[in-house]
Amino acid sequence: MSLVLPRSDGHADHVFDVVRSGQHDDPNDIVARSWSRCLNEYRLHPDRPRELPVLPAKTLEERLSRMADVIDCARYEMTSLYQQLSDGETAVVLTDTEGVILHMVTSADFASQVEPMGLRVGAIWSENTAGTNGMGTCLASGAPVSVRREDHFFTAFTGLTCSAVPVYDPAGELCAVLDVSSRSSMMQQHLLVLLGMTARMIENRLIDRRFRSAHPVHFHSRPEFVYTLHEGRLAVSEDGRILAANRSALFQLGMTSVAEIRARRVEDLFQSSLDDMVQRSVSSSFHPIVTYRANAAHRFFAVARRPAEDARAGGAMTVMPAPTPGARPAAAARAALPRPGSGGVSTFADPRLAQQLGTARRVIGRQTPILLCGETGSGKEVFARAVHEASPHSGGAFVAINCASLPESLIEAELFGYRAGAFTGAQRTGRRGKILQADGGTLFLDEIGDMPLDLQARLLRVLEERQVTPLGTEEVHDVNFQLISASHRNLLALVDEGLFREDLYYRLAGVELDLPPLRERSDKRELIRNLLQTEGGTECSLSPEAERLLLNHPWPGNVRQLRHVLRSAVALADAQQIGVEHLPSLRSQRGAPPADTVAQPAVPVVPAEEPADELPRLNPIQANERQVLLQLLEHHRWNVSNVAKALDVSRNTLYRKLHKLHIRISHPG
């Protein structure tokens, strides 16, 4: 029986009219179908919101404990997404399958504003309690959804815009929802893309976490996508049975569910056994090897490894190879970083930075270790490189390692190295650790606050004795290097909490320097122009309005965020002057309307085969643009129209860019 619809005004009246008109019969209209459920099944009224239930403290604690691995896998990715969005009136939210908020990343001000309406940890945002909303409707529909302002069922929530995507566990079951809720009125299509990518990262982390005793297998039909977000990933037992797979693996292998692939063995999928793939991967130093689809000629590039638990038992983990130029996004990004003295970000026209650089250059010459403190993205590594290049050890190598980006067991192998055969999967020739590589130069330990406690003790000994012993050997090597460390965390607070060794802190902090965030720097205009020249060349220019927008932005992501914004703007402008229309992430925060676009019919395309050894030679900037476009094309299944819409450019502009970057496409026959 349907709910009798009363008379109402405004938003509620519109909801009633839509449901009466039968628009909810359209299977593609997610919002209208949700409104119908809210009225007819849940018996809700748009103007009479129920107070959202909040779990009791003990029940919430049990729920958080049960979902601990999902929360741990999501926590870092949610923080990264929040920093990327750089909007103080935005919250990144994780819920379980009942709509209970488990974790939320937002600013203190926005949290206090939205808490009265129920946007808080422990609150239940299922569709039958909160009406049509991003989290609840995503759960109800099992699909990504954007709920913009008046799309919400309850009038009280129409000031929010929410986008949400499902997160799946290694068994292929929906285990959580990832949501972004904000006051923005802008279209949320780009948010769904970012959320989808973040959800994939969380899912990949879950596979690694839950299958430590399994062999990880990474593969893709394009070698440059191995070790990236878009790779297929399998967890394989010792006897070759498939235990888990991510969504990219299912898509590439033409399967519809994890249950389907779990019935297979490696030999059923590829023309190689697990042992053969592991052996060849070790021989190639874990660069992708060629394999073929079983009973087909379709080619894949793959890497297979020993289980993480085996590596931990041996005291180390197989080491990732150094990336080849242009092969992975991280490589291109590092190659595009400005170097000191090259007109990049390390010219330091800001008086405070210039003074700190002078201090650092004086003390580093006397072998005094330096600890750099500053917000994420504030340019700590660039500052450290500038110190190195003006130091007595400038003729040596500058060796950087990010302690937060490596698994715990991998840090030890990275720092200290290992001899040949030290553990299963080790390179035949062994590997020199980062400390030995820095001998005669500078060792830069970024995010030192994330180093595990047991390794802190070993690092302290190396710093005191200036000697290092690689894993699997008793050989002792004398080393002489300059030490610069960095962290965005308060190390003294970590010391008080027992998470960081006090003796190591004082060994690192010979001189402690606080780098100012970008919003406090006086050289923003010069910095913007230098970075723009680095990203797009001397012909790139900004319109006056675009420059004002860049200068006035608060930049919560600091220099890293500025670099990414300019890199995207250069790609969108396509050799034209950069205007505010080419700064969509900043434009959306100042309330500007989106650029006018004309709907184009979708024309599906497929990638043309291009042998790996015939990829074009591109400069680092072009290589990075090419990688970004390839990822977008992969996400949209090579539908050029959808990619153009996501980038807010015309199809002709996108086709010119694809041709310029040698990305070949062809229409299916």
Side-chain angles (χ1 to χ4, degrees):
M1 186 176 86
S2 296
L3 178 70
V4 177
L5 304 178
R7 296 285 302 173
S8 180
D9 297 322
H11 175 68
D13 192 56
H14 176 60
V15 172
F16 295 143
D17 287 344
V18 167
V19 175
R20 285 193 185 99
S21 69
Q23 290 184 32
H24 58 278
D25 293 333
D26 182 356
N28 296 318
D29 196 332
I30 294 179
V31 170
R33 291 173 67 86
S34 174
W35 286 357
S36 177
R37 289 193 297 269
C38 292
L39 287 172
N40 298 322
E41 296 179 28
Y42 314 142
R43 318 294 285 184
L44 303 177
H45 188 288
D47 285 338
R48 301 172 197 154
R50 302 171 180 174
E51 184 175 353
L52 297 187
V54 178
L55 294 184
K58 185 176 180 180
T59 305
L60 176 60
E61 184 178 350
E62 293 172 352
R63 185 78 57 108
L64 295 176
S65 177
R66 188 165 66 248
M67 296 288 291
D69 60 344
V70 177
I71 297 171
D72 286 345
C73 290
R75 192 187 310 271
Y76 175 79
E77 304 300 346
M78 291 172 66
T79 301
S80 297
L81 176 60
Y82 178 75
Q83 292 173 344
Q84 186 175 1
L85 296 175
S86 64
D87 185 349
E89 292 195 321
T90 289
V92 182
V93 183
L94 184 77
T95 79
D96 65 9
T97 53
E98 295 178 5
V100 178
I101 296 180
L102 305 174
H103 186 61
M104 191 164 75
V105 180
T106 186
S107 66
D109 287 344
F110 190 63
S112 64
Q113 295 172 29
V114 296
E115 183 175 356
M117 68 173 61
L119 197 61
R120 50 170 292 192
V121 172
I124 303 176
W125 280 73
S126 60
E127 195 179 64
N128 63 344
T129 60
T132 306
N133 70 91
M135 296 164 275
T137 303
C138 178
L139 284 170
S141 62
V145 61
S146 286
V147 179
R148 291 181 289 275
R149 292 184 178 266
E150 286 77 15
D151 289 345
H152 285 86
F153 179 80
F154 284 128
T155 306
F157 296 154
T158 55
L160 291 176
T161 295
C162 306
S163 296
V165 298
V167 179
Y168 295 93
D169 65 15
E173 300 294 329
L174 194 152
C175 67
V177 164
L178 186 66
D179 168 87
V180 170
S181 296
S182 73
R183 296 195 188 280
S184 172
S185 61
M186 299 298 294
M187 293 291 287
Q188 299 296 303
Q189 185 61 41
H190 70 288
L191 265 184
L192 287 178
V193 173
L194 290 175
L195 280 165
M197 295 171 69
T198 304
R200 286 193 185 189
M201 295 177 192
I202 296 171
E203 292 164 359
N204 288 343
R205 283 179 178 265
L206 267 175
I207 291 176
D208 291 341
R209 187 182 183 97
R210 293 187 180 179
F211 292 91
R212 293 183 183 277
S213 61
H215 294 258
V217 176
H218 313 252
F219 70 95
H220 200 279
S221 58
R222 290 173 173 259
E224 65 267 28
F225 279 165
V226 177
Y227 295 127
T228 73
L229 171 64
H230 299 291
E231 70 177 2
R233 186 174 298 194
L234 304 174
V236 185
S237 68
E238 187 69 34
D239 61 0
R241 290 181 297 108
I242 308 299
L243 303 176
N246 67 1
R247 284 186 277 172
S248 178
L250 297 177
F251 173 76
Q252 292 185 72
L253 296 172
M255 298 187 179
T256 57
S257 68
V258 176
E260 180 183 0
I261 201 172
R262 274 181 166 177
R264 310 295 182 88
R265 301 173 58 85
V266 169
E267 295 89 344
D268 299 329
L269 304 178
F270 305 107
Q271 296 178 14
S272 304
S273 66
L274 176 62
D275 289 341
D276 175 64
M277 292 176 73
V278 171
Q279 183 177 358
R280 288 198 291 142
S281 296
V282 172
S283 300
S284 69
S285 298
F286 299 100
H287 285 74
I289 59 171
V290 176
T291 188
Y292 290 87
R293 185 77 160 89
N295 304 316
H298 192 66
R299 182 178 61 177
F300 290 105
F301 297 85
V303 172
R305 297 177 177 275
R306 297 293 302 169
E309 283 192 353
D310 287 5
R312 180 165 296 176
M317 186 175 177
T318 51
V319 179
M320 296 280 284
T324 53
R328 290 157 57 187
R334 282 194 295 271
L337 281 174
R339 295 291 183 255
S342 66
V345 299
S346 57
T347 50
F348 300 140
D350 178 82
R352 181 176 165 187
L353 268 178
Q355 181 182 9
Q356 290 174 327
L357 182 59
T359 299
R361 286 171 171 171
R362 287 193 297 272
V363 301
I364 200 74
R366 295 182 178 273
Q367 288 292 302
T368 301
I370 297 172
L371 175 61
L372 304 178
C373 301
E375 296 179 6
T376 300
S378 57
K380 294 185 286 291
E381 181 174 347
V382 175
F383 185 94
R385 287 183 182 275
V387 175
H388 165 75
E389 294 203 355
S391 72
H393 286 62
S394 60
F398 178 87
V399 180
I401 181 169
N402 189 315
C403 301
S405 65
L406 298 172
E408 181 175 330
S409 54
L410 185 56
I411 296 178
E412 192 171 13
E414 281 286 307
L415 284 175
F416 307 117
Y418 55 85
R419 68 168 175 81
F423 53 88
T424 303
Q427 295 182 17
R428 292 180 179 178
T429 57
R431 185 180 179 91
R432 294 174 73 239
K434 296 289 189 182
I435 294 176
L436 273 175
Q437 293 175 33
D439 188 25
T442 300
L443 179 67
F444 176 61
L445 298 176
D446 198 10
E447 302 302 349
I448 186 68
D450 294 296
M451 177 175 283
L453 274 170
D454 56 341
L455 288 185
Q456 292 178 25
R458 189 168 177 189
L459 174 62
L460 178 64
R461 183 175 179 181
V462 170
L463 298 180
E464 293 288 355
E465 300 177 356
R466 294 286 165 162
Q467 292 179 329
V468 63
T469 303
L471 302 175
T473 179
E474 297 180 357
E475 299 176 0
V476 177
H477 300 269
D478 293 328
V479 287
N480 176 29
F481 56 84
Q482 300 170 154
L483 178 65
I484 304 177
S485 307
S487 180
H488 73 283
R489 307 176 71 180
N490 186 329
L491 295 188
L492 280 177
L494 295 180
V495 170
D496 292 338
E497 296 170 14
L499 300 176
F500 199 84
R501 292 180 63 106
E502 185 176 14
D503 47 3
L504 178 58
Y505 168 77
Y506 288 113
R507 188 64 184 82
L508 298 174
V511 169
E512 186 170 343
L513 300 175
D514 290 313
L515 303 188
L518 178 56
R519 61 184 174 274
E520 296 178 7
R521 289 176 58 168
S522 61
D523 62 343
K524 278 193 289 188
R525 177 175 276 104
E526 181 177 351
L527 180 62
I528 289 169
R529 291 175 178 175
N530 286 336
L531 274 175
L532 183 62
Q533 189 176 81
T534 301
E535 296 295 339
T538 56
E539 69 277 5
C540 279
S541 63
L542 294 165
S543 71
E545 186 178 357
E547 186 174 62
R548 283 195 300 272
L549 184 59
L550 291 167
L551 288 172
N552 294 329
H553 191 70
W555 298 112
N558 292 295
V559 179
R560 182 179 296 124
Q561 181 194 0
L562 171 61
R563 180 184 292 116
H564 291 165
V565 167
L566 291 176
R567 184 174 297 157
S568 300
V570 169
L572 293 176
D574 197 26
Q576 302 174 21
Q577 184 183 59
I578 295 174
V580 293
E581 67 272 16
H582 303 124
L583 303 169
S585 61
L586 307 189
R587 184 187 62 190
S588 64
Q589 295 170 38
R590 65 194 290 266
D596 292 336
T597 56
V598 178
Q600 300 278 359
V603 182
V605 296
V606 295
E609 288 294 329
E610 187 169 7
D613 55 1
E614 295 181 9
L615 288 175
R617 294 183 178 275
L618 302 172
N619 63 44
I621 297 172
Q622 292 173 323
N624 183 76
E625 288 185 31
R626 187 175 194 273
Q627 185 65 33
V628 170
L629 282 176
L630 284 171
Q631 289 181 351
L632 279 172
L633 287 164
E634 178 81 7
H635 176 81
H636 290 282
R637 300 198 177 193
W638 293 82
N639 187 306
V640 173
S641 295
N642 288 345
V643 173
K645 290 177 183 176
L647 291 173
D648 198 16
V649 299
S650 69
R651 286 202 307 163
N652 289 338
T653 297
L654 181 57
Y655 274 120
R656 287 197 301 270
K657 179 63 69 175
L658 294 174
H659 177 74
K660 183 178 180 180
L661 297 178
H662 303 277
I663 299 177
R664 297 163 53 200
I665 56 177
S666 61
H667 296 277

